[in-house]
Amino acid sequence: MRLIRRFEETCVDLVKDNEIAAVVHESIGQEAVAAGVTAALGPQDYLTSTHRGHGHILGRGADPTRVMAELMGRTTGTNRGRGGSMHVGAPDLGILGANGIVGAGTPIAVGATWAARTAGGDAVCAAFFGDGAINQGVVHEAMNLAVIWEVPVVFCCENNLYAVTTPLSNMTGAPITERAGGVGMPVCSVDGMDPGAVHDAMSESIATGRRDGTPSFVEFRTYRYSGHHTAEAATGVEYRSETEMEAWRQRDPLVTWPERLAAHGILDAAGKEAIDGEVEALITESVTFARNSPWPEPTEVLDLAYASGTGADFPSHTWGGS
Ligand SMILES: Cc1ncc(C[n+]2csc(CCOP(=O)(O)OP(=O)(O)O)c2C)c(N)n1
């Protein structure tokens, strides 16, 4: 959680200084979901992410130096600087891509997990999306197919109460879990500010999915302290009250979780300081690595845009006759 928080705070500074040449969608406040979910996944499992995905990707174990280089557009980035903040992918880690299209990770999750299971594996996939995405048809199609094809995707809905500036209550008539339950899968709703609760719910969903092929839906009740993205303040739009924001800040997992660990004798002040120090060093290393990495050459702009079809493991195109 500490790494995700500091990574994103650093991104915000880099956007201000124009070293990241785009807006980024921070997940500051939502770290407990990313940490709890990804800690429950096994090495064989997959993950699909969203436009607010740095936490998911870092939690899954992507190298922060390479993710930072990606956000800064360098060739050493996870996607050689072509993807940026919203399109980080790392198939070797089971990360099937962050995605700028709301809800679009869910059919990818179903297809990839179906393929892996058909090939005899026992992979499960965590498919992240926000509360706004529950109104995307493709999410419901993906959930329905997962049920009837017995594909164990855990549909991970990060309910942070807003889609850009629209409150959930203005766009969704029934509780999110009821809508998901309508397709016939187990649903639950957990406190997304509590990494322990997130991890427990996720572990149970994963275990059931791995064993029985059952998909499930978990709503994580959470909050973003930041705006929708780094340019929100410039719009001057206000849609959340100070009282509401302050109430959620009081539940900051970066404060409450270390306190809880301390109360249980698991983490003392020195231990916390050591973790914070390690994170700071890693962040500094990441920014230095990215700054010192080369930019892609303009002549390479179309490289990687199309599959060549010449790889030994690439099936030949026999359909269509040529
Ligand atoms: C298909 C599609 N429609 C609209 C958008 C524009 N858009 C980007 S983020 C967003 C809100 C998403 O809200 P939610 O799913 O709750 O995720 P959150 O931003 O809260 O994490 C919208 C409407 C988009 N990227 N893709």
Side-chain angles (χ1 to χ4, degrees):
M1 290 196 296
R2 183 77 187 156
L3 175 65
I4 299 167
R5 173 75 54 98
R6 288 294 301 127
F7 185 92
E8 294 203 314
E9 287 172 346
T10 307
C11 288
V12 173
D13 292 339
L14 292 167
V15 169
K16 278 191 195 126
D17 294 343
N18 218 16
E19 287 198 71
I20 292 178
V23 296
V24 298
H25 300 77
E26 314 104 287
S27 62
I28 292 173
Q30 301 185 192
E31 296 90 347
V33 181
V37 166
T38 54
L41 294 170
Q44 71 275 48
D45 294 332
Y46 294 120
L47 177 156
T48 60
S49 184
T50 68
H51 55 285
R52 202 179 298 291
H54 306 146
H56 312 149
I57 309 274
L58 293 172
R60 185 64 180 138
D63 178 352
T65 60
R66 296 200 55 210
V67 180
M68 189 61 87
E70 184 59 34
L71 268 59
M72 289 173 72
R74 309 305 166 106
T75 54
T76 50
T78 44
N79 305 93
R80 294 170 55 186
R82 311 300 210 272
S85 165
M86 285 194 279
H87 303 104
V88 174
D92 53 321
L93 296 169
I95 300 169
L96 303 176
N99 206 311
I101 301 172
V102 170
T106 53
I108 296 171
V110 174
T113 313
W114 177 84
R117 306 279 293 194
T118 302
D122 69 348
V124 167
C125 181
F128 284 100
F129 52 96
D131 45 288
I134 199 70
N135 289 318
Q136 279 289 4
V138 72
V139 174
H140 291 268
E141 288 182 40
M143 292 196 295
N144 190 51
L145 277 183
V147 171
I148 58 178
W149 287 355
E150 300 181 345
V151 182
V153 171
V154 185
F155 292 89
C156 298
C157 182
E158 290 185 278
N159 179 4
N160 62 14
L161 298 174
Y162 296 91
V164 193
T165 57
T166 308
L168 179 62
S169 55
N170 277 17
M171 59 183 178
T172 301
I176 286 184
T177 43
E178 265 181 39
R179 302 187 68 199
V183 302
M185 67 171 81
V187 297
C188 67
S189 177
V190 299
D191 180 1
M193 304 306 268
D194 176 348
V198 170
H199 186 263
D200 286 351
M202 200 58 200
S203 300
E204 201 180 318
S205 292
I206 290 172
T208 312
R210 211 180 302 288
R211 191 185 60 234
D212 304 333
T214 316
S216 49
F217 182 99
V218 189
E219 175 194 25
F220 301 104
R221 302 186 306 275
T222 184
Y223 202 74
R224 57 170 160 78
Y225 303 150
S226 47
H228 174 65
H229 55 43
T230 43
E232 182 180 287
T235 67
V237 177
E238 284 181 20
Y239 55 97
R240 303 186 291 182
S241 70
E242 240 340 294
T243 318
E244 176 183 294
M245 290 195 277
E246 187 48 37
W248 284 93
R249 279 195 203 104
Q250 291 298 320
R251 308 195 50 228
D252 188 344
L254 271 293
V255 178
T256 57
W257 186 246
E259 281 173 359
R260 219 162 113 193
L261 294 180
H264 284 83
I266 297 169
L267 184 73
D268 60 11
K272 181 176 177 306
E273 210 172 294
I275 292 171
D276 292 351
E278 267 175 49
V279 167
E280 280 323 300
L282 195 47
I283 296 293
T284 305
E285 184 194 334
S286 302
V287 175
T288 306
F289 172 78
R291 281 184 181 142
N292 291 336
S293 295
W295 297 96
E297 292 295 330
T299 51
E300 295 169 355
V301 71
L302 287 180
D303 291 2
L304 315 174
Y306 303 100
S308 70
T310 55
D313 57 354
F314 197 82
S316 57
H317 291 196
T318 49
W319 63 90
S322 60

